[in-house]
Amino acid sequence: MLILDHPYVSELLKDTAAEMQIPVLKNEMAAEISAEKGMKLLEEAEFIELIKEKGEYSLYSNSENSLGWISKNLGFTGLPEKIELFKNKIKFRILLERIYPDFYFQGVEFEKLDEIRVEEIKKPFIIKPAVGFFSLGVYKVSTDEEWPSVLLRIKAEVEEIKGLYPVQVLDVGNFIIEENIEGEEFAVDAYFNGAGKPVVLNILKHIFSSESDVSDRVYFTSKAVIETYRETVEDLLKEIGKLAGLKNFPLHIELRIGGDRRVQLIELNPLRFAGWCATDIAHYAYGINTFRYFQEQLEPAWDTILADKEGKNFCLVVLNKPAEIDSKAVQTFDYEKLLSDFEKPLELRKVEIEKYGFFGFVFTETRDSNREEIERILKSDLKEYITFKEIASDVPMLKD
């Protein structure tokens, strides 16, 4: 069963819903798509009743915008409690204390950030919204001296992003401070099947331009990434599944793995895979339609899938703007020039900068021998692709 909502539904998900005739909740977004694709739409009462009749069901939503509807209408399923447990990073950390008893964290209200005695907190630490999305409002603090400027940036960003998403997705009223997790970062799309077994559908390695970088610019997957980390990820998922009692449950997790192979979970996003349908990178890389795999309870035959993937990297590039640039100052973004800088772009997804605060996504395939193009876009501030409006007194090009 599917709930489709703003901000974005990919063509792959639209086609999958139509071809499989998966029951879809009728809302504004779904009705608009169905007019084009011909999906199996159910009114709210029908959708709820079908879930009650099925008892066991596979519910997926492309967007966390639907979490509020689920919490309001599907209380009998137990899903609202799981949503709250996973989306509220403070409650999630409390759950994980059984796995990570020595991990430091604390919650703090946004209005009380000025009262923090930063010198008493072990550094480096990460500060971010307790209910967050897409690395919005996330900062790393390595020294006491950095805190005043970080605090100013948090306040400016909160002012810009509040109201962009529902509070179930992004709530900047409360923040969490937690110890910095060392190691390489990964994002994983997976689901628990009807028997409670975790099934990994993709693993993306999140790379950064520097030690202080916490942005979402580049994720990539490859044969080496899957083969090296799949069993480690599955072991962690088994522990989480036992703690939370997960069955027929899709999720997107972020984690770090240290040089000693110690795994530390960063966050778990319920009932969806990678946001903005970025999970489609698995389709391009491995021929895995993650939506179909979840609905049909399929497991990837990784040995076969990876047989011809040697030396290939499949990248998800997030076209996020520099923090100092005001979205309102942007006139155009040269997507054609951007695509020409990659040897094999696979798909471009444009996004309204003023509405969402970034320019979009691009999926690419890059040979190991041409990793320079990945490094280049990783470190780019994207200004080479941006044309700015003429400076007006009430529209600053750069933020103060």
Side-chain angles (χ1 to χ4, degrees), residues 1-69:
M1 301 181 73
L2 282 173
I3 303 179
L4 305 179
D5 211 333
H6 297 281
Y8 181 82
V9 182
S10 70
E11 290 301 311
L12 179 63
L13 179 50
K14 293 175 186 178
D15 291 340
T16 302
E19 290 168 9
M20 295 182 66
Q21 284 295 286
I22 303 168
V24 178
L25 175 68
K26 185 178 180 180
N27 56 21
E28 179 188 3
M29 173 67 88
E32 181 181 319
I33 296 169
S34 187
E36 173 193 356
K37 299 288 185 178
M39 299 188 302
K40 183 179 180 180
L41 298 187
L42 299 182
E43 299 287 347
E44 285 194 358
E46 295 177 286
F47 194 84
I48 294 167
E49 189 59 34
L50 182 58
I51 289 179
K52 288 180 178 178
E53 290 176 3
K54 280 179 170 285
E56 289 206 358
Y57 53 88
S58 298
L59 179 62
Y60 179 87
S61 177
N62 68 297
S63 169
E64 292 190 359
N65 287 9
S66 67
L67 296 184
W69 187 91

Side-chain angles (χ1 to χ4, degrees), residues 295-306:
Q295 293 293 330
E296 296 186 341
Q297 304 271 288
L298 303 175
E299 298 185 26
W302 284 113
D303 289 345
T304 302
I305 290 170
L306 297 175

Side-chain angles (χ1 to χ4, degrees), residues 65-281:
N65 287 9
S66 67
L67 296 184
W69 187 91
I70 294 170
S71 295
K72 179 181 178 181
N73 294 281
L74 301 183
F76 61 92
T77 64
L79 289 176
E81 290 80 7
K82 287 184 170 58
I83 289 170
E84 175 67 13
L85 177 63
F86 294 136
K87 284 303 299 177
N88 187 307
K89 293 179 174 63
I90 298 172
K91 291 185 178 181
F92 187 47
R93 281 294 165 204
I94 293 172
L95 172 73
L96 293 180
E97 282 182 321
R98 280 172 272 184
I99 303 177
Y100 309 110
D102 300 322
F103 187 81
Y104 169 79
F105 67 94
Q106 68 163 317
V108 58
E109 296 175 17
F110 171 71
E111 300 296 338
K112 295 184 178 180
L113 289 179
D114 288 307
E115 302 173 18
I116 290 176
R117 299 180 65 85
V118 70
E119 67 277 4
E120 297 178 0
I121 303 175
K122 181 182 176 182
K123 285 166 277 293
F125 66 81
I126 301 295
I127 181 167
K128 55 189 175 182
V131 178
F133 177 67
F134 205 44
S135 289
L136 297 172
V138 180
Y139 291 89
K140 182 178 181 180
V141 180
S142 298
T143 66
D144 293 346
E145 292 72 26
E146 290 177 2
W147 175 242
S149 63
V150 167
L151 183 57
L152 286 174
R153 292 201 297 273
I154 288 174
K155 290 179 178 180
E157 189 169 2
V158 165
E159 187 61 31
E160 181 178 5
I161 66 179
K162 65 182 180 182
L164 285 182
Y165 298 93
V167 293
Q168 293 89 357
V169 179
L170 176 65
D171 183 358
V172 292
N174 290 282
F175 278 69
I176 183 172
I177 294 173
E178 59 185 32
E179 69 177 75
N180 184 57
I181 301 171
E182 300 294 340
E184 296 183 306
E185 185 169 313
F186 298 85
V188 178
D189 285 335
Y191 73 89
F192 286 85
N193 65 19
K197 176 186 176 182
V199 178
V200 173
L201 299 176
N202 196 16
I203 302 174
L204 294 162
K205 187 172 184 178
H206 186 185
I207 56 177
F208 301 93
S209 61
S210 67
E211 284 293 319
S212 60
D213 183 17
V214 292
S215 70
D216 277 333
R217 174 58 60 80
V218 176
Y219 295 80
F220 79 90
T221 186
S222 66
K223 177 180 180 179
V225 168
I226 299 294
E227 289 182 337
T228 303
Y229 299 105
R230 181 169 61 88
E231 290 185 4
T232 300
V233 170
E234 287 175 349
D235 289 342
L236 174 63
L237 287 172
K238 288 174 185 176
E239 292 190 69
I240 296 170
K242 291 176 184 176
L243 285 177
L246 300 179
K247 292 183 179 181
N248 293 314
F249 198 88
L251 50 85
H252 177 76
I253 63 172
E254 296 180 11
L255 54 91
R256 283 185 181 266
I257 302 177
D260 58 358
R261 306 294 290 180
R262 182 171 180 265
V263 182
Q264 178 65 268
L265 194 57
I266 299 172
E267 64 183 44
L268 186 155
N269 299 285
L271 300 180
R272 69 168 175 87
F273 300 137
W276 287 76
C277 291
T279 184
D280 292 356
I281 189 68

Side-chain angles (χ1 to χ4, degrees), residues 312-328:
K312 299 178 181 179
N313 300 280
F314 299 90
C315 294
L316 162 63
V317 180
V318 183
L319 305 173
N320 43 7
K321 71 176 180 63
E324 71 272 13
I325 289 180
D326 193 308
S327 298
K328 296 177 181 177

